[in-house]
């Protein structure tokens, strides 16, 4: 048996980045590993995979609600110009939403939508109202399902990159 910290370091060393981030986020969320302890240990890590251990330590965040959200955030981490924050609280008069992951500078929300939380009529209505409220406040919501995040991450990434490029073109057109 290994300690939780050693397990997280070993997983960060050998697993794909998205899985390693999900393991690290889960360990921090559960209280098994402290972020600063992991980051200090990652800085001292040597040998094969040490670069990925440091990358995971740089992005670990116990606020991620579950591994699905961690994997979605991992896809976004590799996209230039995107700085995602997990469980971002967005408020306005009479409105409150805590979104899975968002970048306030570009106004983008990434949602990890599952049937468990959205698969009945009340969940569907609740989410549509929430997304409408976010859109009314100027946010753009890109919802992704588990199958795509887990089995089509390149499509998820391309979708986010396409949205970012479209926003850049709109800003450029407004300047012209």
């Amino acid at each position: 048996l290994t300690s939780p910290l050693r397990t997280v370091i070993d997983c960060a060393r050998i697993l794909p980045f998205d899985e390693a981030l999900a393991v690290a986020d889960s360990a921090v969320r559960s209280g098994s590993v402290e972020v600063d302890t992991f980051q200090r240990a990652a800085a001292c890590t040597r040998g094969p995979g040490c670069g990925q251990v440091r990358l995971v330590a740089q992005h670990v965040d116990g606020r991620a609600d579950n591994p699905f959200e961690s994997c979605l955030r991992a896809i976004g981490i590799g996209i230039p110009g995107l700085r995602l924050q997990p469980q971002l609280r967005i408020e306005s008069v009479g409105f409150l939403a805590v979104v899975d992951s968002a970048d306030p500078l570009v106004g983008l929300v990434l949602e990890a939508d599952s049937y468990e939380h959205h698969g009945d009529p009340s969940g569907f209505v609740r989410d549509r109202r929430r997304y409408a409220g976010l859109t009314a406040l100027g946010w753009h919501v890109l919802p992704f399902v588990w199958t795509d995040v887990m089995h089509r991450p390149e499509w998820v990434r391309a979708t986010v990159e396409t949205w970012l490029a479209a926003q850049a073109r709109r800003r450029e057109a407004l300047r012209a």
Side-chain angles (χ1 to χ4, degrees):
L1 295 174
T2 62
S3 70
L5 176 61
R6 175 62 189 261
T7 300
V8 170
I9 289 172
D10 290 347
C11 288
R13 186 185 299 273
I14 64 171
L15 292 175
F17 177 69
D18 60 342
E19 294 175 28
L21 185 64
V23 168
D25 283 354
S26 294
V28 169
R29 181 176 54 254
S30 73
S32 299
V33 173
E34 296 290 326
V35 171
D36 59 339
T37 303
F38 175 43
Q39 290 173 335
R40 283 193 306 274
C44 298
T45 301
R46 301 289 180 261
C50 67
Q52 180 162 291
V53 173
R54 289 187 192 100
L55 182 64
V56 171
Q58 178 185 348
H59 293 287
V60 66
D61 195 314
R63 293 175 294 172
D65 207 30
N66 54 57
F68 179 21
E69 289 180 17
S70 295
C71 287
L72 178 56
R73 194 172 92 256
I75 294 168
I77 286 170
I79 299 174
L82 192 62
R83 300 267 186 247
L84 294 171
Q85 298 175 29
Q87 298 298 307
L88 184 68
R89 184 180 174 100
I90 300 172
E91 295 183 72
S92 185
V93 176
F95 179 82
L96 169 66
V98 178
V99 299
D100 295 341
S101 210
D103 182 333
L105 294 177
V106 299
L108 180 61
V109 170
L110 301 184
E111 285 286 284
D113 283 352
S114 65
Y115 294 115
E116 181 179 332
H117 296 293
H118 311 273
D120 63 18
S122 65
F124 179 76
V125 169
R126 183 179 59 249
D127 277 351
R128 295 307 74 114
R129 288 178 180 158
R130 189 165 161 264
Y131 293 171
L134 289 163
T135 302
L137 291 173
W139 291 86
H140 187 87
V141 179
L142 290 178
F144 294 101
V145 296
W146 184 90
T147 302
D148 290 333
V149 170
M150 299 303 168
H151 299 292
R152 299 179 64 212
E154 67 288 338
W155 176 82
V156 172
R157 180 185 174 107
T159 301
V160 174
E161 290 173 333
T162 299
W163 183 85
L164 288 167
Q167 294 307 301
R169 286 191 303 277
R170 284 187 192 101
R171 284 191 303 275
E172 191 60 37
L174 289 173
R175 288 187 200 127

